[in-house]
Structures are given as structure tokens and as C-alpha cells.
Amino acid sequence: MSLYEYVGLGNTTPLLVGVSDGSTVVAGKTLPAGELVSRCGTLLGSGAGGRGEAAAGYGYSLLPSYPVSKDGGTVFFTAEPCVGGPPVREVFARIDNGQPGARTVAISEPSKEDCSACNTEAAVLAGARFAGASADGSKVFFTTAQPLLGSDTSSNLYEYDFDAPAGERVVRVSGGDATVSNPVAEVEVQPSTGGSQDDPFSIELAVAKVSEDGSHVYFLAQGVLTKTPNGEGEAANAGAHNLYVFERDAAYPGGRIAFVARLGAPIHGGEAEGTVEEGSFVDANVTPDGRFLVFASKRELTPDDTSPGLKQVFEYDAQTGALVRVSIGQEGFDHDGNVPPIFTAGGNAVNGASIPAPEQGHRAMSEDGSYVFFESTVGLTPQALNQVVIGHQNEQDPTAPHEPIYADNVYEYHDGRVSLISDGEDLTDNGNESNVQLVGTDASGGDVFFSSADFLSSQDSSSNRQLYDARIDGGFPTPVVPSCSGEDCQGELSAAPTLLSPGSEFQAGSTPPLAGEPVVKPAVTKSKASSKLAKCKRAHVRKKGKCVAVKTRAKKADVKRRAGS
């Protein structure tokens, strides 16, 4: 399998991506220009997108970020190991493909010109995985067990920086700080197919969350990379799922690593101690400048979180080191959101809060981190639904488990306060989940998109699930219907009926009156059928032949919200 791309406008012939530029060295051999780097496969990014498995149901959105730069000029690809080709999985960059001066750069097995201190001897080679890149393609991250820098042979996270000085373009992100010596990083990878980093057929979810500018990268590691505790006084533990952030920018040109939190779930049924629950990190959102990270966890990470096992949403500020729980109760409502978790027969918690995966721009917070949006089955305001079962999955299949479906609420967190965005009344589901679902927000946080089957707008006459935009001081005014009174409401008179024959006032099928009898015309009545077809008045819709009022609320009639409401 080989990777292709279309270059330029009107180009009908695709170009190979994974090719040599004439100076590319593979297995000690310099390949001629245009020759494939590997005949056993060149795949986009980490390779998952080319396997057709969509990360085992997680979707491509949870794969590493920006395998193609925003301007399309840089493509990162993985070359599969092959006889006569790369001895291990290698990560490359193809830059300006199809243009004069196009080049192919070895990322995970860098040249001495790019990294003079990197160890690329045959005895230490190990496969690498693309872990994400900045939006402009200038910085790329990858994982490997090869001790490129240092002697640690566990899985490590590295950064290749195109803008760094020659010979210094590779940095060991997971190398730890001065508080630890010779740390064993054990950077976590999350293969969705049950494989390992060395398994060429496994597909990995994102092992790192890279900010768009590449200045911050958040990752999980089981090693202790710093002994400095976080703002809550908690420190990293060996063997735990430690969440770290590495920052390298103008403030920290040499790089800085900080401990964020320990993720994991408590023991209950099928869940093991320390297990990173599904979606705890792969759904995490990071702001473009990397300052803020929003993620979910079942482990209590802050003092105000007193419900072990209940999934809560947290926001971390890399500038101040502050970690706050977002899924709190409004003014402390409902025990401040600390309710007991509800477990299924399999031991999985089915209630709690969550955020949308950052797929196709489905972000959970504004670009400045001031607005955070999430959904939860827990009633965090007096108007919200509180852990209400509205259906069961697989109801049509008696052999499948019938897990309960809980009603969801969509919330906003801003300035330390939680507000309800959805109406708190939708008790419908689609057979798999609540019809109330958070889609995401825009860059400003002024618009938040969600779905509901309730009538949230006076213009809505459908009982199907609809997409809504709740906007600060927004919404559209209800169309004005001209008023009328008396005969003005009757409309224009209809034309007189046409007689079958000239001069006759009797129609076919009628009986003429006897001589001398007066002609009696039947009274005009509205038939039952025509009453069913009559148009309902404004703010009403027809259901089962009757006009019923549309449910409207002062706050939601035009899907409008106010800041901090």
C-alpha cells in the first residue's frame, strides 16, 4: 500500500508521497530520486488512516493531529519495515511534493546533520510512531523505544523541530527534569487493536495532544519524569497513568516538563485499579496555544471531587498550574455534582460527564479557554434532568445486553459557574443514546451547537432530532404574522361554480324541485377531512389531526443564551 496526493489545481494525476528525493538514506543505502522508501507500505501519519479500520471504531478524529500541515506543503508518513527497505518502522516528512526542491526528511532516524547526538546504530534500532505535529508542520512528535538520546530503552516521546539549529533538531520530550536522574519514561501508547508499539498491524489512538502551534504537548507516561507535585500537591507515581505537559516556547526555550495529574479509575467490577477508562485522554481538547487542556477522568483529581468512579470534566491551565473541576453543581447544587456512580452488570459506570472528541473542529472549549462545554447525565442545575433512564440499548435484540440509556444535559462552564444550555426536558433517545448531544463550539465560545428532539424554537415543527445553535445575545426573532379581524381574515371570495349546461342551475346527480317548490340550497359546512387539513395558527403545530401549542420558553424560544446565565 502506497500513499498518494494530488498537488495543485486541476491536477488529475496523483503523486507518490513516500519517495526519495535523491539523498534519502534507507538501511544505509542512498535511494535514487522518485524511488519508494518502502515497498511494503507508506502510510499517512501513524498508518491508521491507511488500514481502513478507523481505529477500531474510534474514528479518524482520535488519531494523531496534523499528519498533513494546514497549507498541505508537508506530509508526514510512516514507512513499513521491509526486506531491502527500512529495517524498522520509520517516520518521514515529504515537503513541497511535486514542486522544485521537493525533499524527503528522515524524522525518527535523523541524519547527523539534523541530530549530531542521536544514536542510529543498527544495534539499537526500534520502530517509531507518528504522534502528532503542529498545524504548520514545523514541529513533529513521535514515539520510539530506540534510545536516540540517552540510554532509556523504554518508550519515549521525541520532538523534531525544523526551525532548530542544525544538529540540534531532535529533543527528548520525555527526558525528565533536574529533579530525577536517568528516568525510565514508559510513555504510553494506546493500540486500539490490542497490539503493542512493535506490532506493525496495531492501530494506535493519539498518544499525545499537540497544540496547533506545537509549543505544548500533553502525554501519558508510567515513569516519574519530575518529582515536582502539581498545584493540588499530588505527585507522579511510578507505574501510574501520569499526565504530563512539555512546553517549549519563548518562555522556556530549553523546554519544561510539568506533572498535571494521575488518571485512572478505581476498582469496581470489570475495571482494574489505575485503568485509563475509554475516552479519558483520547477525547481531550487543547487550545491552539496549548495553555489549556480539557479532559475527563473517573479519578478524583481535585479536593471538591468526592465521587470516585464518576466521570468528571477538568480544565488545566499550563501557565498557572491550576487544575479545576468543570462539571460542578450550580451554586453547589446536587452535592456540587458529586453523586454516586451507577455501574452496569459489567462494572462500567454509565453516568457522569463527557466532552466531544475534537473531530472536524468539534471543540469543547473556546480558543482562550474561558468557555468550556460538556454534557452530563447528572442534574447540575435545578432545571436539568438528573440521572433519568429514558430507554435501553438493543431493545429489539433479546440476546444483546440491554444497557440503560440516560437523558443527557448540555452545560456551559464560564467564570467558575455552570449554566444549562439544553432545556432539561428532552426524554427521547435514538436507540443508542440520548437525543441531547453536545456537538461543539466555535473559536469564541459565543456559539455552542447541540442536538435535541424538543421544540426549542417557535419555527420548529418537527419532532425529530434537530441541530441548534445557542448564541450569546443571539437567536432570530420570530417572524411577524400580520394581524387581521372580522372579514379581513376570510380571504378573497372564490369564483362562482361553473354549470354543466347553459341556463341550468342543476348539476349532474341532483334532483330538480317539483313545480312550485322553492329551491333550497344546502348549508355550507366544513367537512371533517378539510378541518384536518386546516392550517394551525402561529406557534401551533399539527399532531394527530389536532393543533397543539409549541413548547416555548423565554430563554429558549429563539435558542438564545446570555453570558453566565
Side-chain angles (χ1 to χ4, degrees):
M1 182 183 294
S2 296
L3 182 64
Y4 290 83
E5 70 170 323
Y6 284 95
V7 178
L9 299 176
N11 192 342
T12 59
T13 304
L15 300 178
L16 280 167
V17 173
V19 294
S20 169
D21 60 7
S23 63
T24 307
V25 178
V26 176
K29 177 185 175 182
T30 301
L31 303 181
E35 182 171 326
L36 280 170
V37 171
S38 173
R39 297 188 179 277
C40 291
T42 52
L43 307 173
L44 180 65
S46 63
R51 298 181 187 276
E53 298 180 41
Y58 283 88
Y60 297 116
S61 61
L62 305 185
L63 302 177
S65 59
Y66 291 108
V68 180
S69 62
K70 270 191 172 182
D71 64 3
T74 302
V75 180
F76 297 102
F77 67 93
T78 296
E80 295 286 359
C82 194
V83 175
V88 294
R89 268 180 137 239
E90 294 186 29
V91 178
F92 291 85
R94 180 67 173 173
I95 303 172
D96 295 333
N97 197 21
Q99 306 298 319
R103 56 197 178 110
T104 302
V105 179
I107 300 296
S108 61
E109 297 294 340
S111 66
K112 291 300 180 182
E113 289 76 15
D114 288 341
C115 182
S116 59
C118 283
N119 187 353
T120 57
E121 297 296 324
V124 298
L125 294 181
R129 298 275 185 170
F130 171 78
S134 59
D136 63 2
S138 65
K139 297 181 179 181
V140 55
F141 299 83
F142 63 95
T143 59
T144 181
Q146 180 175 327
L148 282 172
L149 297 170
S151 58
D152 182 16
T153 57
S154 73
S155 176
N156 273 271
L157 180 64
Y158 292 89
E159 174 188 354
Y160 183 107
D161 186 353
F162 284 91
D163 296 330
E168 302 176 9
R169 295 195 173 120
V170 177
V171 173
R172 184 183 170 198
V173 170
S174 53
D177 63 12
T179 63
V180 294
S181 60
N182 300 319
V184 177
E186 293 288 356
V187 171
E188 294 191 29
V189 295
Q190 299 180 8
S192 64
T193 55
S196 65
Q197 174 158 297
D198 296 324
D199 179 2
F201 298 104
S202 70
I203 295 176
E204 292 176 7
L205 306 181
V207 300
K209 290 294 179 179
V210 181
S211 61
E212 284 197 8
D213 64 1
S215 65
H216 294 67
V217 55
Y218 295 83
F219 63 98
L220 292 170
Q222 295 188 23
V224 176
L225 306 182
T226 178
K227 292 183 179 179
T228 304
N230 64 8
E232 303 299 330
E234 184 177 64
N237 280 354
H241 300 285
N242 303 300
L243 176 60
Y244 296 98
V245 58
F246 178 81
E247 177 182 358
R248 191 157 74 109
D249 49 21
Y252 300 96
R256 174 187 78 103
I257 194 166
F259 170 68
V260 177
R262 292 203 312 265
L263 304 187
I267 295 175
H268 187 94
E271 294 179 342
E273 178 67 32
T275 298
V276 176
E277 65 276 3
E278 178 183 324
S280 65
F281 187 61
V282 292
D283 291 352
N285 283 226
V286 60
T287 52
D289 64 358
R291 176 176 174 177
F292 293 97
L293 176 79
V294 170
F295 62 98
S297 177
K298 293 180 183 178
R299 187 173 177 272
E300 314 101 297
L301 303 182
T302 55
D304 63 348
D305 181 3
T306 59
S307 293
L310 180 71
K311 186 178 285 188
Q312 305 264 20
V313 175
F314 300 86
E315 183 178 34
Y316 175 76
D317 184 345
Q319 182 172 305
T320 65
L323 179 65
V324 298
R325 181 166 64 100
V326 168
S327 49
I328 58 175
Q330 186 182 76
E331 309 297 339
F333 182 77
D334 200 7
H335 307 285
D336 203 21
N338 289 302
V339 301
I342 300 174
F343 295 95
T344 65
N348 296 315
V350 293
N351 61 334
S354 61
I355 54 177
E359 57 181 351
Q360 301 173 357
H362 293 190
R363 67 183 85 204
M365 63 175 162
S366 57
E367 286 191 349
D368 63 2
S370 62
Y371 286 94
V372 178
F373 302 94
F374 63 96
E375 58 189 51
S376 179
T377 62
V378 180
L380 302 177
T381 71
Q383 301 82 15
L385 293 166
N386 188 25
Q387 308 200 92
V388 179
V389 176
I390 57 177
H392 291 82
Q393 296 178 353
N394 306 311
E395 288 186 322
Q396 305 303 318
D397 185 357
T399 64
H402 294 175
E403 301 288 2
I405 300 174
Y406 285 82
D408 259 322
N409 305 281
V410 174
Y411 296 100
E412 167 194 297
Y413 176 86
H414 179 63
D415 285 342
R417 176 182 169 85
V418 162
S419 303
L420 181 66
I421 296 294
S422 55
D423 69 347
E425 296 185 14
D426 193 334
L427 299 176
T428 63
D429 68 271
N430 63 6
N432 184 58
E433 62 184 4
S434 168
N435 275 325
V436 175
Q437 294 291 311
L438 172 62
V439 177
T441 184
D442 66 347
S444 70
D447 291 73
V448 56
F449 305 93
F450 68 99
S451 63
S452 176
D454 271 3
F455 297 103
L456 303 186
S457 169
S458 58
Q459 294 100 307
D460 186 4
S461 60
S462 171
S463 60
N464 296 325
R465 181 159 69 169
Q466 303 286 340
L467 180 64
Y468 292 93
D469 175 10
R471 302 188 297 161
I472 295 177
D473 296 328
F476 297 98
T478 302
V480 178
V481 178
S483 59
C484 63
S485 60
E487 293 185 357
D488 292 339
C489 298
Q490 303 300 319
E492 296 182 1
L493 294 176
S494 59
T498 302
L499 300 179
L500 292 179
S501 60
S504 173
E505 61 177 342
F506 306 113
Q507 302 299 307
S510 65
T511 303
L514 297 175
E517 290 186 353
V519 176
V520 180
K521 296 184 179 180
V524 177
T525 60
K526 188 179 294 184
S527 69
K528 186 175 182 181
S530 65
S531 66
K532 287 185 177 181
L533 297 176
K535 184 178 180 181
C536 295
K537 62 182 181 180
R538 184 166 62 92
H540 285 64
V541 296
R542 182 166 299 284
K543 285 190 174 181
K544 297 182 179 180
K546 296 181 179 180
C547 290
V548 295
V550 174
K551 291 187 292 183
T552 59
R553 295 158 192 86
K555 181 182 177 183
K556 294 298 176 186
D558 299 309
V559 198
K560 177 189 294 186
R561 85 180 204 271
R562 297 187 180 186
S565 63

